[in-house]
Amino acid sequence: MPVITRFAPSPTGRLHLGHVLAAQVAWELARGSAGGKFLLRQEDIDSPRVREEFYAEIEQDLEWLDLHWDGPVLRQSGRVAAYTEALASLRERGLVYPCFCTRRVIQDEWARMGAAPQGEQGPIYPGICRVLSAAEQKPMLESGAAHAWRLDSQKAACHTGRLSFHDARFGEIEVRPDLLGDVVLARKDIGTAYHLAVVVDDAFQAVTHVTRGEDLLEATHVHRTLQQLLGLPEPQYHHHRLVLDQAGKRLAKRNDAASITELRAAGYSASEVLALAKQAGHGHSLVGDLERSHRG
Ligand code: GLU
C-alpha cells in the first residue's frame, strides 16, 4: 500500500528548523514508497493567532527546500463542519461534556485540592464539570453560557477497551486514554480543537503514517482513543526527535535565529538547511553551532 504522509504546520509563525525536520521526515517516507504521497495541511483553526502572511511563507519555504507536496493544500478552517459532526457523534454517546470553567475556577479548584492532579504533561483538569447532571447542564447551555467540550476520558476508556499504537522509534505502545486527563475537544472560542481536528483530518486525507515531533507522543494516546470512538482507521506513527536550542529546549516560534527566512537571509543554501535539520534528527543539538557560525 502506498505511504501517505502529511506535514501540518500552523500559520501562526514562521517555519524553523524543527518544522524542516518534520517536513523532511514525512517527505522522505512518502518519496521512498512507490505511489506515495506527501500532503500539506495548514492547521489554521486557531484563528486568533493565525496571520495571513504565514500561509504563503510556509509554502514558499517548502518550495525553496524542494519539499514539494502532492495535490491541493488542505486548510482546517474550511473543515469546521466535519469537526462539528465528529463532536456531535461523541455528544450523542455521552463521551464528551460541556465545561463552563474559566482558568481561574480551575486554578482555585487545584488550590482547594492541595495539589493539582498531574498528567504526563503537567496539571490536568480536575473534573469539575464532569459531574454536572443533564438537568444542571441544560439551563446553562440554554442561557448561552460560554463552554468548551471535554472528552470524558474514563468513559472513553470503557468504550474502547485495550488499544495500542505502533511507533517506528518507540515500538508498540499501550494507550492510556486518561494520560492527559479530560482534554478539550472543542474550545470555547473556536468550537473545535487540535486533538479532534487532527484525527478527523488524518482520516479524511487517508494518511497512513503520521510523522511528527516526540513532544506529541502523549497526544497520540488521545488520538488513538478518538480514532477508535469515531470508527476511523489507525495510522502508523513516527515521533521523531526534536530540534533543541542551546539550553536543550524545544525550538519555539520565538527562536527567530533558526527560522528559515533568517537562515536564508544569512546565506544558508536549501541543502545546508536540510542537512542541519537532519543532524538534529539524529540527536545532535545544533542551534548552538548555528549561532556560533553566524557570529564567526
Ligand atoms: N499543527 C501541529 C503542530 O504544528 C501539527 C501536529 C501534528 O503533526 O499532529 O505542532
Side-chain angles (χ1 to χ4, degrees):
M1 202 171 75
V3 166
I4 303 180
T5 62
R6 66 358 181 236
F7 174 53
S10 301
T12 53
R14 301 209 152 87
L15 293 190
H16 56 56
L17 279 174
H19 295 107
V20 176
L21 177 59
Q24 205 174 6
V25 168
W27 186 90
E28 286 182 356
L29 195 59
R31 296 296 173 242
S33 152
K37 280 190 197 150
F38 169 65
L39 308 177
L40 176 59
R41 181 165 80 224
Q42 296 266 16
E43 298 212 323
D44 59 349
I45 50 174
D46 192 359
S47 41
R49 291 175 57 229
V50 166
R51 290 224 327 252
E52 195 52 43
E53 65 268 30
F54 292 135
Y55 290 99
E57 269 189 46
I58 288 172
E59 293 171 20
Q60 282 157 13
D61 283 346
L62 289 175
E63 275 167 354
W64 179 69
L65 291 164
D66 254 346
L67 299 175
H68 301 284
W69 59 92
D70 297 301
V73 179
L74 187 71
R75 287 194 179 190
Q76 288 194 321
S77 53
R79 299 264 309 138
V80 173
Y83 313 141
T84 307
E85 195 183 314
L87 185 71
S89 138
L90 297 171
R91 273 176 68 173
E92 278 156 23
R93 289 173 285 156
L95 294 165
V96 289
Y97 60 87
C99 173
F100 303 91
C101 292
T102 58
R103 210 176 285 265
R104 185 61 207 259
V105 167
I106 296 173
Q107 279 163 353
D108 287 351
E109 179 64 9
W110 284 337
R112 200 194 58 77
M113 292 166 85
Q118 292 297 313
E120 203 66 26
Q121 286 180 335
I124 59 173
Y125 179 67
I128 304 165
C129 290
R130 191 198 304 132
V131 295
L132 293 180
S133 65
E136 285 167 318
Q137 288 168 356
K138 198 165 175 267
M140 294 174 84
L141 289 172
E142 281 172 0
S143 74
H147 60 280
W149 288 90
R150 288 182 182 273
L151 177 68
D152 188 327
S153 57
Q154 287 162 12
K155 255 194 203 165
C158 297
H159 272 69
T160 61
R162 284 170 85 95
L163 276 181
S164 63
F165 61 91
H166 186 79
D167 183 273
R169 280 179 65 217
F170 299 99
E172 199 68 19
I173 298 182
E174 185 163 345
V175 169
R176 286 173 49 202
D178 59 349
L179 197 62
L180 300 182
D182 289 357
V183 291
V184 169
L185 297 186
R187 275 169 39 178
K188 277 180 190 172
D189 57 342
I190 58 172
T192 186
Y194 164 68
H195 295 301
L196 187 62
V198 83
V199 160
V200 169
D201 283 345
D202 282 337
F204 175 69
Q205 294 188 287
V207 170
T208 60
H209 291 68
V210 171
T211 62
R212 57 187 175 202
E214 64 189 17
D215 55 330
L216 286 166
L217 189 63
E218 287 79 21
T220 303
H221 291 249
V222 177
H223 300 177
R224 271 299 293 134
T225 303
L226 290 175
Q227 284 155 4
Q228 186 72 8
L229 295 175
L230 294 168
L232 303 175
E234 173 189 356
Q236 300 285 301
Y237 288 89
H238 178 169
H239 291 90
H240 58 74
R241 284 179 208 269
L242 300 178
V243 180
L244 303 177
D245 67 11
Q246 286 147 300
K249 295 230 171 66
R250 181 172 81 99
L251 280 187
K253 298 217 156 116
R254 62 183 178 279
N255 296 105
D256 271 350
S259 85
I260 307 316
T261 314
E262 292 279 325
L263 293 173
R264 216 161 141 176
Y268 284 87
S269 69
S271 54
E272 282 169 334
V273 170
L274 290 169
L276 281 168
K278 189 157 256 184
Q279 271 175 274
H282 290 117
H284 181 66
S285 170
L286 46 79
V287 179
D289 301 350
L290 194 77
E291 284 172 355
R292 273 193 293 281
S293 69
H294 255 300
R295 262 182 254 128

